[in-house]
Amino acid sequence: MVNLRVDWRASVALVGTVMKWLAVAMVFPLALAAFYGEGLVTFLAAMTVAVAAGWSLERLDDDPDLGAREGFLMVGLTWLAVSVVGALPYVIAGQGTIAHPVNALFESMSGFTTTGATVMGDIGFDTHSRALMMWRQQTQWLGGMGIVVLAVAILPELSVGGAQLMDAEAPGPGIQKLTPRIAETARALWKAYLGITALEVVLLIGLNAVGVAPNVTVYQAVAHGFTTMATGGFSPAARSIEYFSAAVQWLIVPFMVAAGTNFALFWHALNGEPEAFGEDTEFRFYVGVLAVFTGLTAVLLFTGGTLQPTRVGPLSGNLEQSVRHAVFQVVSLVTTTGYASMDFAQWGRPAQYVLFVALFVGGSAGSTGGAVKIVRWLVILKSLKRELFTTVHPEAVRPVRLGGRALDERAIRGIYAFTLLYLVIFFAATTLVYVDAARVGLDLIALDAMSAVAATLGNVGPGFGIVGPMENYRPFPNSTKLFMVFLMWIGRLEILPVLVLLTPAYWQS
Amino acid sequence: MRVIIVGAGEVGSSIAASLADAHEVVVVDTDPERVDTLTYSLDVLAIEGDGTSLATLREAGIGDADMIIASTDDDETNLVTCGTAKTVDDPFTIARVKNVDYLETWQHAADRRAFGVDFMVCTNLLTAEDIVRVVGLPAARDVDPFAGGTVQMAEFAVGDGSPVADQTVREADRFDSLTFAALLRNGDVEIARGESRIRAGDKVVVIGSPESVQAFAREVAPAETPSGSEDLVIIGGSEIGYHTARELEERGLHPRLIERDPDRARELAEKLPDTVVMESDATDAEFLAREHVDEADAVVTTLESDEKNLLVSVLAKRLGADRTVAVVETAEYVDLFETVGVDVAVNPREVTAEEITRFTRELHTEKVALIEDDKAEVLEIEVDGDSVLIDRPIREAVADLPDGFVIGAITREGRFIVPRGDTVIEPGDHVVAFAERDALEAISDRL
């Protein structure tokens, strides 16, 4: 019998607390169900299960004390647990394809991890209730800034060790403590997040009021506020953002850019230092990357050589449309939001490959975006430049600098390790998905399989071909779907905190 | 004036020698031999004792002293000595330190009285500034840093072929953050007006940021002034080496620095973003050849021992470096260094003693630089609420003042501000100004 060195009871008990609180989040869809006169049973039942399960798990440890190891376990399990609880309404409602438990879990995990990949057959209010569709949107918003960050912000028992928890969850290497108390930092981040979301909702409603956004109801405004700032990508509209006017598409772009920005910068800006944006190396690089990708895509669309004109509207030669769709799609995929302003899977191959590369870029550290993250690419580029220099001058001592600060060599090694691991998992997972698809006779082309893995591991959402923005993940066999649930899970937590749970060294002394 | 000097090493003795003629000098040292030597060699009173002790200071007559200069080799001893002296009476206190952190703390204090020190001189920084003047601005006749190094005053001779010769000041004024203060011609001082014409043979006094002064030097004397592409090599990552590299960086230059210790090399590389730091032994001729140190325009040696500096300088010179500058701790070696081919030997103690002596002679509480034998000076004023300069545009303020007064630069909370007609000076700003002797006498109480 191996002697376990991890106090798993403490971790599980805290996961129980978080599950219990998730019931509170369901009050919103419950109220909507009452408002629209839809059945209340779905959410009441789900809430009961959440409270009961959470309460019984809490009994495992009356006074949970989290160390570093317990922290990893708690964070990892929390995301799994909320996804299971979040899937309950889909199963209980029993409407459409997502009533199947595997599909429900996929949809829920996709929601909380802000992936935005869907297995929903027909998206719309004919099959699904408005309350259920809003719950789907809301899971993304809850997951965006981070369930654990939210838990640290509101649960006093997590104030000690909260930094470790947030570190295990927050996108990007390391966290920035904005205030001396970690719970205050967590609250500051959530306030900025809430504020910008509210601003977007108000502006969307405003566009409707001035008559340039006919399809934007209050419901749609709230629903898209939830999934833009979370870089989620779910939409209650079957055609995603294509359903809305050009004005709406233009408005959403800056909010997606904001969602992929380090939220600490907003906090600094609100504290009277707006210059923080210009001084931040990562932000400058982020804007530069967006500009280059957009420029390239816009040229490809405008010249039209890459379009299959029979299937896509006439973009070529139309400057506004070329630029709008290029910037929207680039920003959407780089920030890992995953909205579509049109079916980009119908674009010509060159433009699609530009977008495919964009799937790996990711948002900034401390943003809600997924994938590898801008800051890691920046550090890798800078350290490669250093390598070239030291090859010629072997004695040169060159720290890699980020915004004037020299980076620790261990941090650089960590970034190399993460990125390599990310790519290894990407290739291995692509192979698995491919093989599993072949097993059930599903015809996949390489780009489709690769994009499906990149889109789930990077928490992006849509890919190309059969997983294009107007398609869904339903055709995959259940085994592949469960595997993708795993990919979304480790992708959201940046792989290492989850993988470490699978090592014997973690569990033993 | 009665002056007490604590510490009779090279710095203290040198200051004592300079001051002995005109002042009553008391020297305090813990070493009886030094006390003995001084008693016979200089017309001063030498006392054996510890300057940090109240009893010793009393014995030295602290009650009657006008000034106390703490110049031992130990920073903390000097600071404590000044603090101790202030508990008895209020003599003017001068402390010599090596650690730049102390200087920064002292400059940071709003009233510049931190540690009970009225004037602080930092050996490492002064030496670095001296080296940079030699290496970075060889064309300058005189260079003085102000406002903690944020502002520089420099005096340049304008040669026949100079691009600014035969231009008016307005035409020549194409440098950001640089003000033309005066033209010196045949021993006369002429305030630089827009229409003043610069002639070959004149000297110009400019005030500006270190980078703009460097840019100006590149324009007036391109052959002598190193540009960004020029190769400056510093060997030895001592504090002096570090500050030399930092000062060169501030002037927009990109030096290379060679340090043997891996940890120190890494530390320096982190602190110096525009310097290429190399970890190697500088006596390794193969390495020097591979890194083309032989083609360097200037090699500065700031290693920890004089012998190593000598060895490396001579080696670099033999390999073919254009100019070598070496730090020499032992004053007696200075001549020797220059005899065997080192172009400039800089002795930190000598530099410090000179600075303290010059300051003592001037006895100004603000930093000054003298121009043309006292006909004019560049001075740094911390502006307070009563000043005539405050709370109105410079254009208006200057109109009220005599002609021979030019505001060259302003620093606010350590940031450089280019003075323009509509700039409004705020309390607490440091103003670096050029003033003719007569003008200064007329207005000094209104500043």
Side-chain angles (χ1 to χ4, degrees), chain B residues 187-330:
Chain B
D188 290 334
V189 176
E190 185 189 327
I191 294 289
R193 305 266 169 240
E195 59 280 4
S196 311
R197 192 163 288 279
I198 303 168
R199 302 207 192 110
D202 288 356
K203 281 182 274 183
V204 290
V205 177
V206 293
I207 297 170
S209 65
E211 198 167 7
S212 64
V213 170
Q214 191 79 34
F216 179 73
R218 258 197 296 277
E219 183 120 351
V220 293
E224 292 168 84
T225 311
S227 62
S229 61
E230 226 129 322
D231 200 4
L232 308 172
V233 179
I234 300 164
I235 297 174
S238 60
E239 279 302 298
I240 294 176
Y242 160 65
H243 286 292
T244 304
R246 195 181 50 73
E247 293 270 323
L248 288 172
E249 282 188 354
E250 264 178 30
R251 282 154 183 77
L253 301 169
H254 303 278
R256 287 191 285 165
L257 194 155
I258 299 164
E259 163 62 37
R260 207 167 89 175
D261 177 63
D263 292 338
R264 177 67 177 164
R266 169 81 195 185
E267 188 191 338
L268 289 171
E270 289 184 4
K271 291 204 282 198
L272 297 164
D274 295 329
T275 301
V276 175
V277 177
M278 308 211 146
E279 179 201 317
S280 177
D281 186 342
T283 52
D284 178 352
E286 202 179 302
F287 159 75
L288 295 178
R290 186 168 66 241
E291 286 299 335
H292 302 287
V293 171
D294 50 326
E295 289 164 26
D297 297 283
V299 174
V300 179
T301 52
T302 54
L303 292 156
E304 66 273 28
S305 85
D306 289 356
E307 291 76 9
K308 281 185 185 160
N309 281 338
L310 181 66
L311 178 67
V312 171
S313 298
V314 172
L315 187 60
K317 194 82 185 176
R318 267 189 67 107
L319 281 171
D322 278 357
R323 284 193 336 136
T324 51
V325 180
V327 170
V328 191
E329 294 287 343
T330 317

Side-chain angles (χ1 to χ4, degrees), chain B residues 128-170:
Chain B
E129 281 165 356
D130 215 49
I131 293 171
V132 169
R133 185 178 56 75
V134 173
V135 175
L137 291 172
R141 295 288 173 273
D142 191 9
V143 183
D144 268 296
F146 288 92
T150 316
V151 179
Q152 251 189 358
M153 183 283 294
E155 195 181 308
F156 291 96
V158 179
D160 283 333
S162 173
V164 295
D166 273 329
Q167 286 188 331
T168 62
V169 166
R170 185 167 294 115

